[in-house]
Amino acid sequence: MQNNHDVSIMDIKFINMTKQELLDQILIPRIEREEKTFIVTANPEFVMHARENKQFKETIQSADIIVPDGIGIIKAAKIKKQPLKERIAGYELMLDLLKYANMNGLACYFLGASKLVNEKVINVIKSKYPQINIVGHHHGFFDLHDPKIKEEVAEAKPGFVFVALGMMKQEQWISEQLPRHKKGVFIGIGGSFDTLTGEVKRAPQKWIDLNLEWLYRIIKQPFR
């Protein structure tokens, strides 16, 4: 999917909408029409890796929607004098999709993170989003080409597939999985399961408002 209002940064086309506009004007209508949708939440690291890795770049470019998840993307757009409306955090977009799935009793599959975190995610979903139909879940320590996992997800026919395998791996897995499905929203969410379960604390709202969430992560997780 391409939009005349997209902003291209190093050949990666970012959608130029607020999160609410994206939900109201594109995502929810596509979900209601049962259109298969591949979402990439890309930060500057994605763009730099895409610059160096042709296959990864092509995978990202094949997505239906690429959202600017990172202040560096916002600043790059300003430098190009093609400002993006706002940063769309992948974690926040995931929460909005979970709320929608809960309100409509839709089917979700949760893939990724460690076995312990993955199990905790399911408990959190059951508690916070009790109307979601959990059609399956699996931790992220498996061979990406394992046909059993792909078949399991395909047979579950989920409306949403949340994939937390980390950059590159999650996009690669989604890209290879898509042909098996006729519908569903597929979104790579990185470490969001860890945040949702409280294993990793998100930055305080003041830091987020000041676009300093990246700095908070460095302070808390310097190994990153």
Short mmCIF file of all heavy atoms in Angstrom, two decimals, residues 58-121:
data_model
loop_
_atom_site.label_atom_id
_atom_site.label_comp_id
_atom_site.label_asym_id
_atom_site.label_seq_id
_atom_site.Cartn_x
_atom_site.Cartn_y
_atom_site.Cartn_z
N GLU A 58 14.15 -5.00 1.12
CA GLU A 58 13.03 -5.45 0.29
C GLU A 58 11.88 -5.97 1.14
O GLU A 58 10.71 -5.77 0.80
CB GLU A 58 13.51 -6.52 -0.69
CG GLU A 58 14.45 -5.98 -1.76
CD GLU A 58 15.02 -7.07 -2.65
OE1 GLU A 58 14.83 -8.27 -2.31
OE2 GLU A 58 15.64 -6.75 -3.67
N THR A 59 12.23 -6.62 2.25
CA THR A 59 11.20 -7.13 3.16
C THR A 59 10.41 -5.96 3.75
O THR A 59 9.18 -5.99 3.79
CB THR A 59 11.82 -7.96 4.28
OG1 THR A 59 12.47 -9.10 3.72
CG2 THR A 59 10.76 -8.43 5.27
N ILE A 60 11.11 -4.94 4.22
CA ILE A 60 10.44 -3.77 4.78
C ILE A 60 9.57 -3.09 3.73
O ILE A 60 8.42 -2.73 3.98
CB ILE A 60 11.46 -2.76 5.34
CG1 ILE A 60 12.18 -3.34 6.55
CG2 ILE A 60 10.76 -1.46 5.74
CD1 ILE A 60 13.26 -2.42 7.11
N GLN A 61 10.12 -2.93 2.55
CA GLN A 61 9.39 -2.25 1.48
C GLN A 61 8.14 -3.02 1.05
O GLN A 61 7.21 -2.43 0.48
CB GLN A 61 10.30 -2.04 0.27
CG GLN A 61 11.40 -1.02 0.51
CD GLN A 61 12.38 -0.93 -0.64
OE1 GLN A 61 12.67 -1.93 -1.31
NE2 GLN A 61 12.91 0.26 -0.89
N SER A 62 8.09 -4.32 1.35
CA SER A 62 6.92 -5.12 0.98
C SER A 62 5.77 -4.94 1.96
O SER A 62 4.65 -5.40 1.70
CB SER A 62 7.30 -6.60 0.92
OG SER A 62 7.51 -7.14 2.23
N ALA A 63 6.02 -4.26 3.08
CA ALA A 63 4.97 -4.05 4.09
C ALA A 63 3.88 -3.14 3.56
O ALA A 63 4.12 -2.28 2.70
CB ALA A 63 5.58 -3.46 5.36
N ASP A 64 2.69 -3.31 4.07
CA ASP A 64 1.57 -2.45 3.69
C ASP A 64 1.67 -1.09 4.37
O ASP A 64 1.28 -0.07 3.81
CB ASP A 64 0.24 -3.12 4.07
CG ASP A 64 0.04 -4.43 3.35
OD1 ASP A 64 -0.17 -4.40 2.13
OD2 ASP A 64 0.11 -5.48 4.01
N ILE A 65 2.17 -1.10 5.61
CA ILE A 65 2.26 0.13 6.40
C ILE A 65 3.59 0.15 7.15
O ILE A 65 3.94 -0.82 7.82
CB ILE A 65 1.11 0.22 7.42
CG1 ILE A 65 -0.24 0.24 6.70
CG2 ILE A 65 1.26 1.44 8.32
CD1 ILE A 65 -1.43 0.00 7.61
N ILE A 66 4.32 1.25 7.04
CA ILE A 66 5.55 1.44 7.80
C ILE A 66 5.37 2.69 8.65
O ILE A 66 5.15 3.78 8.13
CB ILE A 66 6.77 1.62 6.88
CG1 ILE A 66 6.88 0.46 5.89
CG2 ILE A 66 8.06 1.73 7.71
CD1 ILE A 66 7.95 0.65 4.83
N VAL A 67 5.41 2.51 9.96
CA VAL A 67 5.19 3.65 10.86
C VAL A 67 6.52 4.13 11.43
O VAL A 67 7.44 3.35 11.65
CB VAL A 67 4.21 3.30 12.00
CG1 VAL A 67 2.87 2.85 11.45
CG2 VAL A 67 4.80 2.22 12.91
N PRO A 68 6.63 5.44 11.67
CA PRO A 68 7.87 6.02 12.21
C PRO A 68 7.97 5.85 13.72
O PRO A 68 7.46 6.66 14.49
CB PRO A 68 7.75 7.50 11.82
CG PRO A 68 6.28 7.76 11.82
CD PRO A 68 5.63 6.48 11.36
N ASP A 69 8.64 4.79 14.14
CA ASP A 69 8.80 4.52 15.56
C ASP A 69 10.21 4.91 15.99
O ASP A 69 11.09 4.06 16.12
CB ASP A 69 8.55 3.03 15.85
CG ASP A 69 8.64 2.69 17.33
OD1 ASP A 69 8.83 3.61 18.13
OD2 ASP A 69 8.52 1.51 17.67
N GLY A 70 10.42 6.19 16.20
CA GLY A 70 11.74 6.66 16.60
C GLY A 70 11.89 8.13 16.31
O GLY A 70 11.56 8.60 15.21
N ILE A 71 12.39 8.89 17.29
CA ILE A 71 12.53 10.33 17.10
C ILE A 71 13.53 10.65 15.99
O ILE A 71 13.44 11.68 15.33
CB ILE A 71 12.95 11.02 18.43
CG1 ILE A 71 12.87 12.53 18.29
CG2 ILE A 71 14.32 10.57 18.87
CD1 ILE A 71 11.48 13.06 17.96
N GLY A 72 14.48 9.73 15.75
CA GLY A 72 15.45 9.95 14.67
C GLY A 72 14.78 10.01 13.31
O GLY A 72 15.21 10.76 12.43
N ILE A 73 13.73 9.23 13.13
CA ILE A 73 12.97 9.25 11.87
C ILE A 73 12.26 10.60 11.73
O ILE A 73 12.23 11.20 10.65
CB ILE A 73 11.94 8.11 11.82
CG1 ILE A 73 12.64 6.75 11.94
CG2 ILE A 73 11.10 8.20 10.55
CD1 ILE A 73 13.60 6.44 10.81
N ILE A 74 11.69 11.07 12.83
CA ILE A 74 10.99 12.35 12.81
C ILE A 74 11.95 13.48 12.47
O ILE A 74 11.64 14.37 11.66
CB ILE A 74 10.32 12.61 14.19
CG1 ILE A 74 9.35 11.49 14.55
CG2 ILE A 74 9.61 13.96 14.19
CD1 ILE A 74 8.23 11.28 13.57
N LYS A 75 13.14 13.45 13.05
CA LYS A 75 14.13 14.50 12.79
C LYS A 75 14.63 14.44 11.36
O LYS A 75 14.85 15.48 10.72
CB LYS A 75 15.29 14.37 13.78
CG LYS A 75 14.92 14.74 15.21
CD LYS A 75 16.13 14.72 16.14
CE LYS A 75 15.75 15.14 17.55
NZ LYS A 75 15.28 16.54 17.61
N ALA A 76 14.82 13.23 10.84
CA ALA A 76 15.27 13.09 9.45
C ALA A 76 14.25 13.66 8.48
O ALA A 76 14.60 14.31 7.49
CB ALA A 76 15.53 11.62 9.14
N ALA A 77 12.97 13.44 8.78
CA ALA A 77 11.90 13.98 7.92
C ALA A 77 11.90 15.50 7.95
O ALA A 77 11.68 16.17 6.92
CB ALA A 77 10.55 13.44 8.37
N LYS A 78 12.16 16.08 9.12
CA LYS A 78 12.22 17.55 9.23
C LYS A 78 13.38 18.11 8.43
O LYS A 78 13.26 19.15 7.78
CB LYS A 78 12.35 17.95 10.70
CG LYS A 78 11.06 17.81 11.51
CD LYS A 78 11.25 18.32 12.94
CE LYS A 78 9.95 18.22 13.72
NZ LYS A 78 10.11 18.69 15.12
N ILE A 79 14.53 17.42 8.48
CA ILE A 79 15.69 17.86 7.71
C ILE A 79 15.37 17.86 6.22
O ILE A 79 15.82 18.74 5.47
CB ILE A 79 16.90 16.95 8.02
CG1 ILE A 79 17.38 17.17 9.45
CG2 ILE A 79 18.04 17.20 7.03
CD1 ILE A 79 18.43 16.20 9.92
N LYS A 80 14.57 16.89 5.79
CA LYS A 80 14.17 16.81 4.38
C LYS A 80 13.06 17.81 4.04
O LYS A 80 12.63 17.88 2.89
CB LYS A 80 13.67 15.39 4.05
CG LYS A 80 14.76 14.33 4.07
CD LYS A 80 14.23 13.03 3.48
CE LYS A 80 13.90 13.19 2.01
NZ LYS A 80 13.47 11.93 1.38
N LYS A 81 12.60 18.53 5.05
CA LYS A 81 11.48 19.47 4.90
C LYS A 81 10.22 18.77 4.45
O LYS A 81 9.41 19.30 3.69
CB LYS A 81 11.87 20.61 3.94
CG LYS A 81 13.03 21.45 4.47
CD LYS A 81 13.34 22.61 3.54
CE LYS A 81 14.49 23.45 4.11
NZ LYS A 81 14.84 24.59 3.24
N GLN A 82 10.07 17.55 4.94
CA GLN A 82 8.85 16.76 4.73
C GLN A 82 8.42 16.21 6.09
O GLN A 82 8.46 15.01 6.32
CB GLN A 82 9.10 15.61 3.76
CG GLN A 82 9.43 16.03 2.35
CD GLN A 82 9.69 14.84 1.45
OE1 GLN A 82 10.64 14.07 1.65
NE2 GLN A 82 8.84 14.65 0.47
N PRO A 83 8.03 17.09 6.99
CA PRO A 83 7.77 16.66 8.38
C PRO A 83 6.66 15.63 8.50
O PRO A 83 5.64 15.70 7.82
CB PRO A 83 7.39 17.97 9.08
CG PRO A 83 6.91 18.86 7.98
CD PRO A 83 7.75 18.51 6.80
N LEU A 84 6.91 14.63 9.35
CA LEU A 84 5.90 13.63 9.69
C LEU A 84 5.05 14.17 10.82
O LEU A 84 5.53 14.91 11.68
CB LEU A 84 6.58 12.34 10.11
CG LEU A 84 7.28 11.56 8.98
CD1 LEU A 84 8.31 10.60 9.55
CD2 LEU A 84 6.25 10.81 8.15
N LYS A 85 3.79 13.78 10.85
CA LYS A 85 2.86 14.33 11.84
C LYS A 85 3.23 13.97 13.27
O LYS A 85 3.12 14.79 14.17
CB LYS A 85 1.43 13.87 11.53
CG LYS A 85 0.84 14.52 10.29
CD LYS A 85 -0.62 14.15 10.11
CE LYS A 85 -1.21 14.87 8.91
NZ LYS A 85 -2.66 14.54 8.73
N GLU A 86 3.65 12.72 13.49
CA GLU A 86 4.04 12.32 14.84
C GLU A 86 4.76 10.99 14.81
O GLU A 86 4.65 10.21 13.86
CB GLU A 86 2.83 12.25 15.78
CG GLU A 86 1.87 11.12 15.51
CD GLU A 86 0.73 11.06 16.51
OE1 GLU A 86 0.39 12.09 17.11
OE2 GLU A 86 0.17 9.96 16.68
N ARG A 87 5.50 10.74 15.88
CA ARG A 87 6.09 9.43 16.08
C ARG A 87 4.97 8.47 16.51
O ARG A 87 4.13 8.82 17.33
CB ARG A 87 7.15 9.49 17.17
CG ARG A 87 7.72 8.12 17.52
CD ARG A 87 8.40 8.11 18.87
NE ARG A 87 8.74 6.76 19.27
CZ ARG A 87 8.88 6.35 20.51
NH1 ARG A 87 8.71 7.21 21.51
NH2 ARG A 87 9.18 5.10 20.79
N ILE A 88 4.96 7.27 15.94
CA ILE A 88 3.98 6.26 16.32
C ILE A 88 4.74 5.10 16.96
O ILE A 88 5.38 4.30 16.28
CB ILE A 88 3.18 5.76 15.10
CG1 ILE A 88 2.43 6.93 14.46
CG2 ILE A 88 2.19 4.68 15.52
CD1 ILE A 88 1.67 6.56 13.19
N ALA A 89 4.69 5.04 18.27
CA ALA A 89 5.41 3.99 19.00
C ALA A 89 4.76 2.63 18.76
O ALA A 89 3.54 2.49 18.90
CB ALA A 89 5.44 4.31 20.49
N GLY A 90 5.57 1.65 18.42
CA GLY A 90 5.05 0.32 18.16
C GLY A 90 4.32 -0.26 19.36
O GLY A 90 3.29 -0.93 19.21
N TYR A 91 4.84 0.01 20.55
CA TYR A 91 4.21 -0.50 21.76
C TYR A 91 2.79 0.06 21.92
O TYR A 91 1.85 -0.67 22.23
CB TYR A 91 5.05 -0.15 22.98
CG TYR A 91 4.47 -0.63 24.30
CD1 TYR A 91 4.48 -1.98 24.63
CD2 TYR A 91 3.91 0.28 25.19
CE1 TYR A 91 3.94 -2.43 25.83
CE2 TYR A 91 3.37 -0.17 26.39
CZ TYR A 91 3.38 -1.51 26.71
OH TYR A 91 2.84 -1.95 27.89
N GLU A 92 2.65 1.37 21.69
CA GLU A 92 1.34 2.00 21.83
C GLU A 92 0.37 1.53 20.75
O GLU A 92 -0.82 1.34 21.02
CB GLU A 92 1.50 3.52 21.78
CG GLU A 92 2.28 4.07 22.97
CD GLU A 92 2.56 5.55 22.87
OE1 GLU A 92 2.14 6.17 21.87
OE2 GLU A 92 3.22 6.09 23.78
N LEU A 93 0.87 1.32 19.54
CA LEU A 93 0.02 0.80 18.47
C LEU A 93 -0.45 -0.61 18.80
O LEU A 93 -1.61 -0.96 18.58
CB LEU A 93 0.78 0.82 17.14
CG LEU A 93 -0.01 0.38 15.91
CD1 LEU A 93 -1.24 1.25 15.70
CD2 LEU A 93 0.89 0.44 14.67
N MET A 94 0.44 -1.41 19.37
CA MET A 94 0.06 -2.76 19.80
C MET A 94 -1.07 -2.70 20.82
O MET A 94 -2.04 -3.47 20.73
CB MET A 94 1.27 -3.47 20.41
CG MET A 94 0.94 -4.87 20.95
SD MET A 94 2.27 -5.60 21.94
CE MET A 94 2.14 -4.61 23.44
N LEU A 95 -0.96 -1.80 21.80
CA LEU A 95 -2.01 -1.68 22.81
C LEU A 95 -3.35 -1.30 22.19
O LEU A 95 -4.40 -1.82 22.58
CB LEU A 95 -1.61 -0.64 23.87
CG LEU A 95 -0.41 -0.99 24.75
CD1 LEU A 95 -0.17 0.12 25.77
CD2 LEU A 95 -0.58 -2.32 25.46
N ASP A 96 -3.32 -0.41 21.21
CA ASP A 96 -4.57 -0.01 20.54
C ASP A 96 -5.18 -1.19 19.79
O ASP A 96 -6.41 -1.36 19.79
CB ASP A 96 -4.29 1.14 19.56
CG ASP A 96 -4.12 2.48 20.27
OD1 ASP A 96 -4.77 2.69 21.30
OD2 ASP A 96 -3.33 3.31 19.78
N LEU A 97 -4.35 -1.99 19.17
CA LEU A 97 -4.85 -3.15 18.44
C LEU A 97 -5.41 -4.20 19.40
O LEU A 97 -6.43 -4.85 19.11
CB LEU A 97 -3.74 -3.76 17.58
CG LEU A 97 -3.25 -2.88 16.42
CD1 LEU A 97 -2.08 -3.54 15.71
CD2 LEU A 97 -4.38 -2.58 15.44
N LEU A 98 -4.77 -4.35 20.55
CA LEU A 98 -5.28 -5.28 21.56
C LEU A 98 -6.64 -4.81 22.08
O LEU A 98 -7.55 -5.63 22.28
CB LEU A 98 -4.29 -5.40 22.72
CG LEU A 98 -3.01 -6.19 22.44
CD1 LEU A 98 -2.03 -6.07 23.61
CD2 LEU A 98 -3.31 -7.66 22.16
N LYS A 99 -6.78 -3.51 22.29
CA LYS A 99 -8.07 -2.96 22.75
C LYS A 99 -9.16 -3.23 21.72
O LYS A 99 -10.28 -3.61 22.06
CB LYS A 99 -7.93 -1.46 23.01
CG LYS A 99 -7.09 -1.11 24.22
CD LYS A 99 -6.94 0.40 24.35
CE LYS A 99 -6.01 0.76 25.50
NZ LYS A 99 -5.78 2.24 25.59
N TYR A 100 -8.82 -3.02 20.45
CA TYR A 100 -9.80 -3.24 19.39
C TYR A 100 -10.18 -4.73 19.32
O TYR A 100 -11.36 -5.08 19.19
CB TYR A 100 -9.24 -2.78 18.04
CG TYR A 100 -10.21 -2.94 16.91
CD1 TYR A 100 -11.17 -1.96 16.63
CD2 TYR A 100 -10.20 -4.10 16.12
CE1 TYR A 100 -12.08 -2.12 15.60
CE2 TYR A 100 -11.10 -4.26 15.08
CZ TYR A 100 -12.05 -3.28 14.83
OH TYR A 100 -12.96 -3.45 13.82
N ALA A 101 -9.16 -5.59 19.40
CA ALA A 101 -9.43 -7.03 19.37
C ALA A 101 -10.30 -7.45 20.54
O ALA A 101 -11.19 -8.29 20.41
CB ALA A 101 -8.11 -7.80 19.39
N ASN A 102 -10.05 -6.84 21.69
CA ASN A 102 -10.84 -7.16 22.89
C ASN A 102 -12.29 -6.71 22.74
O ASN A 102 -13.22 -7.45 23.08
CB ASN A 102 -10.20 -6.49 24.11
CG ASN A 102 -10.86 -6.91 25.41
OD1 ASN A 102 -10.86 -8.08 25.76
ND2 ASN A 102 -11.43 -5.95 26.11
N MET A 103 -12.49 -5.51 22.22
CA MET A 103 -13.85 -4.98 22.05
C MET A 103 -14.67 -5.81 21.06
O MET A 103 -15.89 -5.87 21.14
CB MET A 103 -13.79 -3.53 21.58
CG MET A 103 -13.36 -2.54 22.64
SD MET A 103 -13.58 -0.81 22.12
CE MET A 103 -12.45 -0.72 20.74
N ASN A 104 -13.97 -6.45 20.13
CA ASN A 104 -14.67 -7.18 19.08
C ASN A 104 -14.50 -8.70 19.17
O ASN A 104 -14.92 -9.42 18.25
CB ASN A 104 -14.19 -6.68 17.71
CG ASN A 104 -14.57 -5.22 17.46
OD1 ASN A 104 -15.67 -4.93 17.03
ND2 ASN A 104 -13.65 -4.31 17.74
N GLY A 105 -13.90 -9.16 20.26
CA GLY A 105 -13.74 -10.60 20.47
C GLY A 105 -12.98 -11.29 19.37
O GLY A 105 -13.34 -12.41 18.95
N LEU A 106 -11.91 -10.66 18.88
CA LEU A 106 -11.17 -11.20 17.74
C LEU A 106 -10.06 -12.17 18.18
O LEU A 106 -9.62 -12.18 19.32
CB LEU A 106 -10.57 -10.04 16.93
CG LEU A 106 -11.61 -9.06 16.37
CD1 LEU A 106 -10.93 -7.96 15.59
CD2 LEU A 106 -12.63 -9.79 15.49
N ALA A 107 -9.63 -12.98 17.23
CA ALA A 107 -8.63 -14.01 17.49
C ALA A 107 -7.22 -13.45 17.36
O ALA A 107 -6.91 -12.74 16.40
CB ALA A 107 -8.82 -15.17 16.53
N CYS A 108 -6.36 -13.78 18.32
CA CYS A 108 -4.98 -13.30 18.32
C CYS A 108 -4.00 -14.45 18.57
O CYS A 108 -4.29 -15.36 19.34
CB CYS A 108 -4.77 -12.24 19.39
SG CYS A 108 -5.72 -10.73 19.17
N TYR A 109 -2.84 -14.35 17.93
CA TYR A 109 -1.74 -15.29 18.17
C TYR A 109 -0.55 -14.48 18.65
O TYR A 109 -0.24 -13.41 18.10
CB TYR A 109 -1.39 -16.05 16.89
CG TYR A 109 -0.49 -17.26 17.13
CD1 TYR A 109 -1.01 -18.54 17.11
CD2 TYR A 109 0.87 -17.10 17.40
CE1 TYR A 109 -0.21 -19.66 17.36
CE2 TYR A 109 1.68 -18.20 17.64
CZ TYR A 109 1.13 -19.47 17.61
OH TYR A 109 1.93 -20.57 17.86
N PHE A 110 0.15 -14.99 19.67
CA PHE A 110 1.27 -14.27 20.27
C PHE A 110 2.55 -15.09 20.12
O PHE A 110 2.70 -16.15 20.71
CB PHE A 110 0.98 -13.99 21.75
CG PHE A 110 -0.27 -13.17 21.96
CD1 PHE A 110 -1.51 -13.80 22.07
CD2 PHE A 110 -0.21 -11.79 22.00
CE1 PHE A 110 -2.67 -13.05 22.24
CE2 PHE A 110 -1.36 -11.04 22.18
CZ PHE A 110 -2.59 -11.66 22.29
N LEU A 111 3.47 -14.56 19.31
CA LEU A 111 4.69 -15.29 18.99
C LEU A 111 5.93 -14.50 19.40
O LEU A 111 6.08 -13.34 19.03
CB LEU A 111 4.74 -15.57 17.48
CG LEU A 111 5.97 -16.30 16.95
CD1 LEU A 111 6.01 -17.73 17.48
CD2 LEU A 111 5.96 -16.31 15.42
N GLY A 112 6.80 -15.14 20.19
CA GLY A 112 8.07 -14.50 20.49
C GLY A 112 8.38 -14.37 21.96
O GLY A 112 7.62 -14.78 22.82
N ALA A 113 9.56 -13.78 22.23
CA ALA A 113 10.11 -13.59 23.57
C ALA A 113 10.51 -14.95 24.16
O ALA A 113 10.40 -16.00 23.51
CB ALA A 113 9.14 -12.86 24.48
N SER A 114 10.98 -14.94 25.40
CA SER A 114 11.36 -16.20 26.05
C SER A 114 10.10 -16.98 26.41
O SER A 114 9.00 -16.44 26.41
CB SER A 114 12.17 -15.91 27.32
OG SER A 114 11.33 -15.29 28.30
N LYS A 115 10.29 -18.24 26.76
CA LYS A 115 9.14 -19.07 27.13
C LYS A 115 8.42 -18.49 28.34
O LYS A 115 7.18 -18.43 28.37
CB LYS A 115 9.61 -20.50 27.43
CG LYS A 115 8.48 -21.46 27.76
CD LYS A 115 8.98 -22.88 27.97
CE LYS A 115 7.83 -23.83 28.26
NZ LYS A 115 8.31 -25.23 28.47
N LEU A 116 9.20 -18.02 29.32
CA LEU A 116 8.60 -17.45 30.53
C LEU A 116 7.82 -16.19 30.22
O LEU A 116 6.68 -16.03 30.66
CB LEU A 116 9.70 -17.14 31.56
CG LEU A 116 9.24 -16.46 32.86
CD1 LEU A 116 8.26 -17.35 33.61
CD2 LEU A 116 10.45 -16.12 33.74
N VAL A 117 8.41 -15.28 29.45
CA VAL A 117 7.73 -14.02 29.11
C VAL A 117 6.51 -14.29 28.25
O VAL A 117 5.46 -13.67 28.43
CB VAL A 117 8.70 -13.05 28.40
CG1 VAL A 117 7.95 -11.85 27.84
CG2 VAL A 117 9.78 -12.58 29.37
N ASN A 118 6.63 -15.22 27.32
CA ASN A 118 5.49 -15.54 26.46
C ASN A 118 4.31 -16.04 27.28
O ASN A 118 3.16 -15.66 27.04
CB ASN A 118 5.91 -16.58 25.41
CG ASN A 118 4.85 -16.80 24.35
OD1 ASN A 118 3.93 -17.60 24.55
ND2 ASN A 118 4.96 -16.10 23.23
N GLU A 119 4.59 -16.88 28.27
CA GLU A 119 3.52 -17.39 29.14
C GLU A 119 2.93 -16.27 29.99
O GLU A 119 1.72 -16.22 30.22
CB GLU A 119 4.07 -18.51 30.02
CG GLU A 119 4.39 -19.78 29.24
CD GLU A 119 5.09 -20.83 30.09
OE1 GLU A 119 5.47 -20.51 31.24
OE2 GLU A 119 5.23 -21.98 29.61
N LYS A 120 3.80 -15.35 30.44
CA LYS A 120 3.31 -14.20 31.21
C LYS A 120 2.42 -13.31 30.36
O LYS A 120 1.43 -12.76 30.85
CB LYS A 120 4.50 -13.40 31.76
CG LYS A 120 5.19 -14.03 32.95
CD LYS A 120 6.26 -13.09 33.51
CE LYS A 120 6.89 -13.66 34.77
NZ LYS A 120 7.90 -12.72 35.34
N VAL A 121 2.79 -13.15 29.09
CA VAL A 121 1.98 -12.33 28.18
C VAL A 121 0.57 -12.88 28.09
O VAL A 121 -0.43 -12.12 28.14
CB VAL A 121 2.62 -12.27 26.77
CG1 VAL A 121 1.60 -11.81 25.73
CG2 VAL A 121 3.80 -11.32 26.76
#
